[in-house]
Amino acid sequence: MTDHSSGLDKVPVIVLTFPLPDLVTQRLGTQYHVESLLTPAARQAYVTHSGDLVRAIVTNGSTRLDGAFMDTMPNLCIIHTFGVGYEGVDVDAARARGIEVAYSPGTNADSVADQAFALLLAVMRDIVPNDGLVRQGAWRPIRPVPPQLSGQKIGIVGMGHIGQRIAARAAGFSMPVFYYSRRPCDQAQWTYCPSVMDMAARVNILAVTLPGGPETCNVIDADVLRALGPQGYVVNVGRGSVISNTVLTEALEKGIIAGAGLDVVEREPNLPAALREQPNIVFSPHVGARSPQSLLTCLDQVMTNLHAALAGRPVHTPVP
């Protein structure tokens, strides 16, 4: 039996399953009691004794939340992913239990699109190795003539909020935009491709924005990278599971493609040494979605949905 003498039964308890910046947790804490339970063991230990206190979970897209775990929290009314991904949440199990599942589409699209272009410029223009050489006292480039980004043909895999922001930025670099998505967009200036393979053969750059999950696992396979070719670059700001580490490593080692920029990696944060040691790749630690603007915009959406669900009203952005 849970001891409610602390008064927590009068304050909705929010469980965080992954670390968020202080500006987010502090604002959540002004209205709710927040428990940061960042490991499966910590979550299980808490719900064993206090699961009936939990009214909401704020999670990321990849943390696994299944029906058995939901059953330990009989008063849980909403699971909200902080961002656009939700592949780790068993949505069907939640809905079967009357639990709302919400996400925050579009709230971080500008930040992620910025990151995609930062990675592209960094890998194509040798920003990281040239910086290292200059710091060591050299004044020579790692490559005499690196390619320019302007005018390159870009293929966007997934034309959702993020893909559309990438396309808008591509216009500023005079880049013809090709795209593959589940359905064509009503944008005459972009060229729709019927498959990823068809698109890869027509472009110099692949920008991947796909969410995770079984439907997108290893969509960018060895054949796609061969079609992209030895002058081609791939940047992934979607989910790491879309590109196999093994396939990508081989493509970089053998010169099947010219380079890659990754904000996400398969099975992150466990980065295999063979991939980590590739000189023609630039990494960032899954931070594309993070900027003060995107965090606060996402937080506004989360708070709006939490208020609605806890008051028994439909959320504004349920998962599809």
Side-chain angles (χ1 to χ4, degrees):
M1 181 67 68
T2 302
D3 179 9
H4 291 173
S5 59
S6 65
L8 291 185
D9 55 321
K10 296 182 175 63
V11 180
V13 173
I14 310 294
V15 168
L16 294 181
T17 70
F18 74 116
L20 277 168
D22 289 344
L23 66 89
V24 174
T25 56
Q26 288 170 1
R27 183 169 164 197
L28 280 171
T30 62
Q31 299 188 41
Y32 308 113
H33 176 81
V34 178
E35 291 283 347
S36 292
L37 308 174
L38 307 184
T39 66
R43 292 191 285 274
Q44 190 58 51
Y46 183 84
V47 299
T48 297
H49 300 287
S50 304
D52 58 330
L53 292 177
V54 178
R55 301 297 313 284
I57 294 176
V58 177
T59 185
N60 57 0
S62 57
T63 297
R64 180 65 182 161
L65 300 177
D66 58 19
F69 182 63
M70 297 173 200
D71 287 338
T72 64
M73 297 164 285
N75 296 311
L76 179 64
C77 67
I78 179 173
I79 298 171
H80 205 307
T81 61
F82 199 91
V84 299
Y86 52 85
E87 70 273 14
V89 181
D90 189 332
V91 178
D92 291 336
R95 287 175 174 159
R97 290 159 174 78
I99 301 168
E100 292 268 21
V101 184
Y103 73 139
S104 303
T107 56
N108 58 26
D110 281 312
S111 182
V112 177
D114 287 353
Q115 190 76 7
F117 272 85
L119 289 167
L120 275 174
L121 286 165
V123 68
M124 292 180 69
R125 300 295 296 172
D126 302 326
I127 300 299
V128 176
N130 281 339
D131 174 83
L133 284 174
V134 171
R135 290 175 186 276
Q136 293 166 19
W139 194 256
R140 57 181 173 80
I142 195 79
R143 285 187 292 178
V145 187
Q148 70 180 34
L149 180 59
S150 296
Q152 300 277 359
K153 295 177 181 178
I154 187 170
I156 301 172
V157 189
M159 192 58 91
H161 292 285
I162 295 169
Q164 291 176 35
R165 300 302 204 287
I166 290 175
R169 284 155 177 75
F173 285 88
S174 302
M175 302 171 73
V177 173
F178 298 75
Y179 73 98
Y180 170 77
S181 195
R182 286 176 291 183
R183 61 187 66 87
C185 300
D186 185 20
Q187 294 287 342
Q189 72 269 32
W190 305 334
T191 301
Y192 177 73
C193 298
S195 69
V196 176
M197 179 69 72
D198 174 78
M199 186 170 68
R202 302 173 70 176
V203 302
N204 314 101
I205 295 163
L206 279 183
V208 183
T209 73
L210 294 175
E215 292 183 355
T216 63
C217 186
N218 294 339
V219 164
I220 309 302
D221 59 16
D223 291 337
V224 169
L225 296 180
R226 276 192 290 270
L228 182 60
Q231 305 303 315
Y233 292 82
V234 61
V235 60
N236 188 5
V237 291
R239 282 290 188 264
S241 57
V242 176
I243 309 176
S244 159
N245 286 339
T246 301
V247 166
L248 184 57
T249 300
E250 182 178 8
L252 292 166
E253 284 180 339
K254 295 183 176 181
I256 294 170
I257 62 173
L262 302 181
D263 188 48
V264 292
V265 179
E266 184 184 37
R267 294 186 295 275
E268 62 185 52
N270 301 310
L271 191 62
L275 184 62
R276 185 174 63 245
E277 292 166 2
Q278 295 304 311
N280 48 345
I281 189 168
V282 174
F283 298 99
S284 56
H286 204 157
V287 295
R290 298 214 171 184
S291 67
Q293 297 93 326
S294 68
L295 286 170
L296 291 173
T297 302
C298 188
L299 179 58
D300 286 341
Q301 185 65 77
V302 171
M303 297 289 278
T304 297
N305 283 328
L306 289 178
H307 292 334
L310 292 169
R313 301 189 305 270
V315 298
H316 292 252
T317 53
V319 300

